Amino acid sequence: MKKRATVRQIAAETSLSIATVSRVLNGQDNVSPRTRELVLHAARRLGHDGPATRAPAGAVFVRCPYLLDDYFGPMVSSIVETIELHGMTAVVNAGTAARRPGMLTALPRTAGLAGGVLILPPESPDELARLRDQGFPFVVLDPRTSPPRDIVAVSSAHVTGARLVMAHLVELGHRQVGIIAGPQEWLVTTSRMAGYVAALADAGVLPSPERIRFVSEPSMANGYRAAAELLGLPDRPTALACFNDKTAVGALRAARERGLRVPRDLSIAGFDDADIGQATDPMLTTVHQPLAEMGRMAVTMLTRMLKGHDLDARHVELGTDLVIRSSTGPAPFTEA
């Protein structure tokens, strides 16, 4: 039977002092993340149990620089609940105040923080890489841009979800589909466009650029404006695939103002499966994103990092599902 390693052996292995190794193994927070990781790796290698049963010392910084609506709210709620289940404390920073420039660079110097969960961070990949290089453990939830490969990130399967909803419209006979897409610089927009285009291509259809509108912010107002433009085309779409449920609600209003009946004259589909989609008439066909589970997964991965566990998968996608409701129906008959 392998003998359990001593603190002295771990200190010799890492070239650190016995006092430093003891602080790490006792779960104290007055050591750097890099030092903690070094000690825990050596402890596992030498057969020491380490502080695996202890909650990581320090609070988790949860940053959501957006309104906590029915999209971001479930994420933040599940993150906070899961942090508390792990015996830790959450420090929540949300809303427009959380967009203050330079906020991320200050995190490694903020006393009492063990790590962070960053939701749809507006910072560039280079800025996220700098935070990583400072030794601050964090997980990106729902990344806005493609994160560096060695930064841990959790998202949903956007390509699959978009392909499912477009395939549903195609199966209903729609070929003239308008797309209300998100901001062009967002990773999720690129992913969902790939799914939409793939499903149309399966039906032998190339999406027409004139039937695509990118919005600067996926809001009801922008969804309304984009839908109004698409429905004003001489050869208007018979269906609209919208970036999210908010833009789809805006599209419903634009259709109603033009006397179009949904889904008899026009089908409209959203994305996210937010509560607002079940408060509309008709209720929205959409794609379900596991928002709460995404939050739980982000915290689980962060705690594994804080306890020194190796992560084989650093970019995790959770499955999406098509939810068919009453806003989509067969394409109206048109003469060839």
Side-chain angles (χ1 to χ4, degrees):
M1 186 174 183
K2 188 175 180 179
K3 189 175 180 181
R4 188 173 186 265
T6 65
V7 172
R8 186 179 296 276
Q9 288 173 322
I10 297 172
E13 176 75 10
T14 58
S15 299
L16 297 170
S17 69
I18 291 176
T20 298
V21 173
S22 295
R23 284 198 295 272
V24 173
L25 296 180
N26 288 327
Q28 298 179 26
D29 60 359
N30 53 342
V31 292
S32 72
R34 285 183 180 276
T35 298
R36 179 177 286 106
E37 184 177 358
L38 178 64
V39 170
L40 294 178
H41 273 296
R44 287 197 305 276
R45 205 164 51 244
L46 296 174
H48 192 285
D49 295 336
T53 60
R54 298 174 64 99
V60 176
F61 181 75
V62 182
R63 185 219 193 189
C64 180
Y66 309 94
L67 179 69
L68 298 184
D69 55 13
D70 55 357
Y71 181 81
F72 293 108
M75 284 187 188
V76 174
S77 295
S78 68
I79 290 170
V80 173
E81 290 167 0
T82 309
I83 287 170
E84 292 180 352
L85 285 175
H86 281 278
M88 303 178 72
T89 302
V91 176
V92 179
N93 186 250
T96 55
R99 301 180 190 180
R100 177 168 49 84
M103 175 171 288
L104 294 191
T105 59
L107 292 181
R109 303 190 301 273
T110 304
L113 291 183
V117 177
L118 309 179
I119 302 173
L120 198 66
E123 287 78 14
S124 68
D126 288 343
E127 291 174 285
L128 295 175
R130 281 195 289 273
L131 180 61
R132 173 206 61 201
D133 294 342
Q134 288 178 279
F136 185 79
F138 66 94
V139 174
V140 174
L141 178 55
D142 203 14
R144 178 183 283 201
T145 56
S146 185
R149 293 179 61 85
D150 56 350
I151 286 179
V152 180
V154 177
S155 63
S156 67
H158 296 291
V159 175
T160 300
R163 188 165 191 159
L164 285 172
V165 73
M166 185 62 79
H168 167 66
L169 294 173
V170 167
E171 186 177 356
L172 290 170
H174 296 280
R175 297 296 183 271
Q176 299 171 201
V177 182
I179 298 173
I180 299 178
Q184 284 186 277
E185 68 275 13
W186 285 16
L187 174 64
V188 61
T189 300
T190 303
S191 298
R192 292 184 189 175
M193 284 298 299
Y196 293 145
V197 170
L200 286 171
D202 288 343
V205 177
L206 291 177
S208 170
E210 70 174 3
R211 293 199 187 108
I212 300 173
R213 294 293 185 277
F214 294 92
V215 298
S216 58
E217 180 186 351
S219 63
M220 284 185 276
N222 284 337
Y224 168 80
R225 282 190 285 269
E229 290 181 14
L230 291 169
L231 298 178
L233 293 173
D235 189 18
R236 70 165 178 81
T238 63
L240 296 177
C242 301
F243 178 78
N244 62 2
D245 292 339
K246 285 183 179 180
T247 53
V249 170
L252 281 171
R253 178 186 156 207
R256 199 162 47 242
E257 288 184 357
R258 280 154 184 77
L260 297 174
R261 296 160 296 179
V262 176
R264 183 171 175 177
D265 302 319
L266 175 73
S267 287
I268 296 177
F271 206 109
D272 293 343
D273 195 17
D275 290 343
I276 193 174
Q278 297 184 59
T280 58
D281 182 20
M283 292 195 294
L284 283 174
T285 291
T286 187
V287 174
H288 176 74
Q289 286 199 79
L291 302 177
E293 185 60 29
M294 288 163 62
R296 288 189 284 268
M297 176 63 74
V299 176
T300 298
M301 296 185 77
L302 178 63
T303 55
R304 290 182 62 199
M305 294 169 62
L306 295 175
K307 292 178 180 180
H309 297 174
D310 292 325
L311 297 177
D312 291 332
R314 290 185 172 267
H315 291 187
V316 176
E317 285 189 354
L318 301 187
T320 48
D321 298 298
L322 178 65
V323 180
I324 300 175
R325 298 197 181 104
S326 51
S327 69
T328 52
F333 173 77
T334 55
E335 293 186 4

